[in-house]
Amino acid sequence: PAPAVAPAAAATATATARDASPYSNAVAGQRPTNAGQYRKRENFVKAKVIMLSGCMDEQTSADVSDVSSFGLPANVGPGGAGGACTNALQHCVHAMGDQKIKSGQYPYNKLLADCQRFLKRKQYTQVPQLSASYPLNMSEPFKLRSMQGRTKALLIGINYTGHGVGELTGCHNDVKVMKQYVTQNWGFSESPANMKVLMDDGRNQSPTKANILAAFRWLVSDVRPGDSLFIHYSGHGSQQVDYDGDEESGYDSTMVPLDYKTAGQIVDDDILAKVVLPLPEGCEMFALMDCCHSGTIMDLEYNLAATDSNMAGLTNGTIVALPVNVKFSKKQKRLAAILAAGAAGFVLGGGPMGCIAAMCCAAGAVGAHSAAHKMQKGQL
């Protein structure tokens, strides 16, 4: 998030880092099971993935100096600073009550509307956005797990302690709040085998780029149908020039790790490849991304920003399910090409190793494509 009192200053700080960062463009895909025919994207993203983001791609998301005005119960989290998105969600779910939520009486359309109204009432301009890997029916009840199968959770909070410009104050608190919520209200296990926390607090694992990418691999490893996964990220988000040509806006959305000045940022292409595509059918994931420029940071194909017109559509019934994000037309074509590049590996392997071979082939194809773009621009 950006500081609530001076979002422009924080945006300038991250933009400066964005221009200086190395580019990361690897994307891997999986071959659909019906050989010879590429299906629509929602069918090769096999798992059900839902993301609530704090703002649209072009917006900043606020870091609030004191969330006491959010009206949270006294026993919720440490208090003090926090992200507007994380704490708006906390306000909404606690106002609704755990019993109603668990009995399926809190649909996604009401959750999104409640978050939007709350942020507007607090005079935040950021517009929350709901995204999914499939055309989520907005009358479906909000849930973080199906109450069966195993759980795995990854929580990342970065205050950029000691960085001076761009330093945040509420991201560690956000992680503590969400950790309490998913464990106490949804039964997520705190065992090190099931939960990983990255914070720049000197006690938890440091949220460097390498550690975050390793945590992504940990999260999706050994996942099977019936498992429920949760990701929470609270920190800076940014944008950087898209050198693959698959973004209508010309920019990739990014997570900003602690060592972004030397290691670079984590682009949406990487999050799609490393977190979304490897998940098996029958697995569910919920992600809460409380950072700037986060509307499509997981590259999910279906989304709805909580604008006034879209909220009116949910109310009058003209919007029933998450619509396709029309901005993804270029990305979908590129993913089809990536799948074609990896198809031989899949067919030859015919099993898990074949999938891995296909993804490696695809990543290699994308790497060559990215290198060609950089050579044209004199960067290699």
Side-chain angles (χ1 to χ4, degrees):
V5 293
T12 300
T14 53
T16 300
R18 178 184 72 220
D19 294 340
S21 297
Y23 302 101
S24 175
N25 294 288
V27 173
Q30 291 178 319
R31 169 83 164 176
T33 54
N34 54 338
Q37 180 181 1
Y38 293 111
R39 298 178 293 171
K40 290 184 179 180
R41 183 172 169 183
E42 67 267 24
N43 289 325
F44 65 77
V45 177
K46 298 180 177 67
K48 287 188 173 182
V49 181
I50 298 173
M51 176 185 74
L52 177 65
S53 52
C55 61
M56 297 189 294
D57 282 344
E58 62 271 23
Q59 293 184 310
T60 58
S61 185
D63 188 46
V64 184
S65 60
D66 185 1
V67 299
S68 60
S69 64
F70 278 44
L72 301 179
N75 62 344
V76 173
C85 175
T86 297
N87 288 277
L89 174 64
Q90 284 292 304
H91 169 86
C92 293
V93 296
H94 286 287
M96 176 54 59
D98 201 49
Q99 185 174 355
K100 286 186 177 180
I101 293 176
K102 294 293 179 58
S103 61
Q105 298 180 54
Y106 200 27
Y108 281 102
N109 53 17
K110 181 167 176 52
L111 172 69
L112 185 61
D114 286 350
C115 287
Q116 185 236 30
R117 280 194 295 266
F118 182 80
L119 288 168
K120 286 185 70 174
R121 190 165 69 246
K122 292 294 181 182
Q123 299 185 329
Y124 294 104
T125 58
Q126 65 192 75
V127 177
Q129 187 161 307
L130 192 68
S131 305
S133 60
Y134 66 105
L136 170 71
N137 189 310
M138 294 296 284
S139 64
E140 283 188 30
F142 162 71
K143 61 180 181 179
L144 292 190
R145 66 173 298 196
S146 297
M147 307 310 291
Q148 60 182 358
R150 303 172 304 169
T151 64
K152 292 184 82 173
L154 172 60
L155 301 102
I156 305 168
I158 314 178
N159 277 348
Y160 308 90
T161 304
H163 282 216
V165 175
E167 188 169 338
L168 301 173
T169 56
C171 301
H172 297 170
N173 291 341
D174 287 345
V175 165
K176 294 172 184 176
V177 167
M178 290 310 303
K179 180 181 178 181
Q180 177 179 318
Y181 181 65
V182 300
T183 54
Q184 294 184 7
N185 295 72
W186 291 96
F188 275 71
S189 171
E190 292 187 65
S191 163
N194 299 87
M195 180 174 287
K196 189 178 288 291
V197 176
L198 276 64
M199 291 197 294
D200 54 335
D201 60 353
R203 293 185 296 275
N204 292 279
Q205 188 176 28
S206 180
T208 62
K209 181 176 182 177
N211 286 345
I212 292 174
L213 294 178
F216 285 167
R217 292 191 292 272
W218 165 85
L219 184 67
V220 302
S221 65
D222 193 33
V223 174
R224 52 181 183 249
D227 290 350
S228 296
L229 280 62
F230 177 75
I231 293 182
H232 175 230
Y233 172 68
S234 180
H236 274 306
S238 188
Q239 292 180 311
Q240 65 181 36
V241 174
D242 166 39
Y243 281 93
D244 298 315
D246 63 354
E247 300 282 357
E248 291 285 346
S249 66
Y251 292 94
D252 283 315
S253 296
T254 68
M255 294 171 62
V256 182
L258 183 64
D259 58 346
Y260 68 92
K261 291 182 179 179
T262 55
Q265 302 169 55
I266 300 173
V267 299
D268 48 18
D269 293 342
D270 283 336
I271 299 171
L272 173 66
K274 299 178 186 303
V275 177
V276 178
L277 291 180
L279 298 176
E281 187 174 358
C283 167
E284 297 180 351
M285 172 184 284
F286 187 93
L288 176 61
M289 305 298 282
D290 193 351
C291 61
C292 299
H293 310 294
S294 56
T296 60
I297 199 168
M298 292 185 77
D299 268 353
L300 302 175
E301 187 172 1
Y302 297 86
N303 66 27
L304 186 72
T307 61
D308 289 340
S309 59
N310 285 339
M311 293 299 97
L314 287 175
T315 301
N316 63 32
T318 56
I319 298 177
V320 177
L322 288 185
V324 172
N325 182 358
V326 294
K327 295 180 180 180
F328 276 106
S329 58
K330 287 185 177 181
K331 187 172 291 290
Q332 190 144 352
K333 291 177 182 177
R334 180 169 172 264
L335 286 171
I338 291 170
L339 291 174
F346 188 94
V347 173
L348 289 173
M353 289 307 295
C355 291
I356 293 172
M359 294 179 75
C360 289
C361 290
V366 177
H369 175 77
S370 300
H373 271 276
K374 293 179 184 180
M375 287 183 69
Q376 291 174 3
K377 295 180 179 292
Q379 295 177 335
L380 288 179

